[in-house]
Amino acid sequence: MKNTLIAPSVLAADFANLQRDIEMINQSEADWFHIDIMDGVFVPNISFGMPVLEAIHRHAKKTIDVHLMIIDPDRYIKTFAQLGANILTVHYEACTHLHRTLQAIKAEGMKAGVALNPHTNIDLLEDVINDIDMVCIMSVNPGFGGQSFIENTYAKVEKLKALINRKQASTIIEIDGGVTDKNAAQLVQAGADVLVAGSFVFKAADPIATISNLKQLTQ
Ligand code: DX5
Ligand code: ZN
């Protein structure tokens, strides 16, 4: 049986009730906390930074999956390790020396992830896939929650899964953006291992039941 992981994106939480929303995730069937860090340069939005992540880490009882949407992420690898990140994902488009960046993330004891924008071709990972713990396929253009899912994502997931198998890599596949109960099962069928869900979880009348439902749909 497949254990698909569900990672609610804290970007969609109520920041005035952040502790309440973190406890909700702790008590739910969710597997990870997905944390979106934006710099207003790589993406046209600024989310939150280190003090907020530090506060989240104090209460979060599950794996912390940090998605960096920032240029030159090498500057902050050590900092995010100290802040409690278990997985640190950088953008392919933001790294000139991606191989070096991945080694630096692992040297700090974290799992290394690479995110791809919707326009970035899977083939570009061919020579580095065996060094990547997780590929995050962006199913929206990064920068904002609540956008609609890009249908071409299914084909990208299948292509990435084939590359991982061909290279005998142990890389897992995460999908980020516009995930709902309408696309979750098909994404898992295509090869996804982790589903990030922001608005779909936090805007729901009953987030705990919504997470449970997503979990059931994807096993
Ligand atoms: C987008 C972020 C996503 C976002 C997902 O730039 O990387 O993690 O929070 O939100 P939804 O699920 O609302 O598309
Ligand atoms: Zn994200």
Side-chain angles (χ1 to χ4, degrees):
M1 197 173 98
K2 198 172 156 77
N3 179 31
T4 306
L5 305 180
I6 306 297
S9 171
V10 174
L11 185 65
D14 175 356
F15 294 144
N17 288 288
L18 195 49
Q19 188 176 351
R20 181 200 67 189
D21 284 0
I22 292 166
E23 294 301 348
M24 181 280 289
I25 298 178
N26 281 338
Q27 282 158 32
S28 76
E29 289 172 49
D31 299 277
W32 294 357
F33 284 81
H34 183 82
I35 308 292
D36 290 304
I37 306 286
M38 306 178 185
D39 66 356
V41 179
F42 180 69
V43 288
N45 195 14
I46 299 174
S47 52
F48 49 78
M50 284 74 172
V52 175
L53 177 53
E54 193 185 6
I56 293 171
H57 181 227
R58 257 187 272 127
H59 301 283
K61 297 200 177 85
K62 297 178 177 180
T63 295
I64 297 187
D65 168 36
V66 175
H67 176 194
L68 295 183
M69 285 159 274
I70 67 173
I71 59 162
D72 198 5
D74 299 43
R75 295 171 294 164
Y76 299 111
I77 291 171
K78 252 191 189 358
T79 308
F80 281 104
Q82 286 160 0
L83 287 167
N86 302 108
I87 303 160
L88 192 64
T89 296
V90 295
H91 263 265
Y92 178 88
E93 303 83 5
C95 295
T96 312
H97 301 286
L98 181 62
H99 184 273
R100 176 185 289 152
T101 303
L102 295 172
Q103 306 313 319
I105 292 171
K106 292 185 207 173
E108 293 299 328
M110 298 177 286
K111 297 277 186 201
V114 175
L116 298 185
N117 278 339
H119 73 276
T120 302
N121 199 293
I122 296 296
D123 289 341
L124 293 165
L125 297 179
E126 165 127 30
D127 293 304
V128 76
I129 193 73
N130 295 91
D131 297 288
I132 304 175
D133 294 309
M134 180 173 85
V135 173
C136 172
I137 296 187
M138 293 306 303
S139 37
V140 298
N141 285 292
F144 303 92
Q147 304 180 81
S148 45
F149 180 81
I150 298 172
E151 296 287 324
N152 184 51
T153 306
Y154 302 116
K156 286 184 81 168
V157 178
E158 282 169 11
K159 199 171 167 187
L160 175 59
K161 190 73 189 171
L163 174 66
I164 290 168
N165 289 341
R166 179 159 58 81
K167 292 280 196 169
Q168 297 183 322
S170 49
T171 317
I172 61 170
I173 303 175
E174 178 178 66
I175 311 299
D176 187 8
V179 170
T180 68
D181 57 355
K182 303 278 178 291
N183 50 32
Q186 199 178 336
L187 285 166
V188 171
Q189 219 170 348
D193 303 290
V194 186
L195 301 180
V196 175
S199 323
F200 185 67
V201 164
F202 285 99
K203 307 289 179 246
D206 186 344
I208 294 220
T210 303
I211 292 168
S212 175
N213 183 40
L214 267 184
K215 192 81 193 171
Q216 269 172 29
L217 273 173
T218 55
Q219 304 310 306

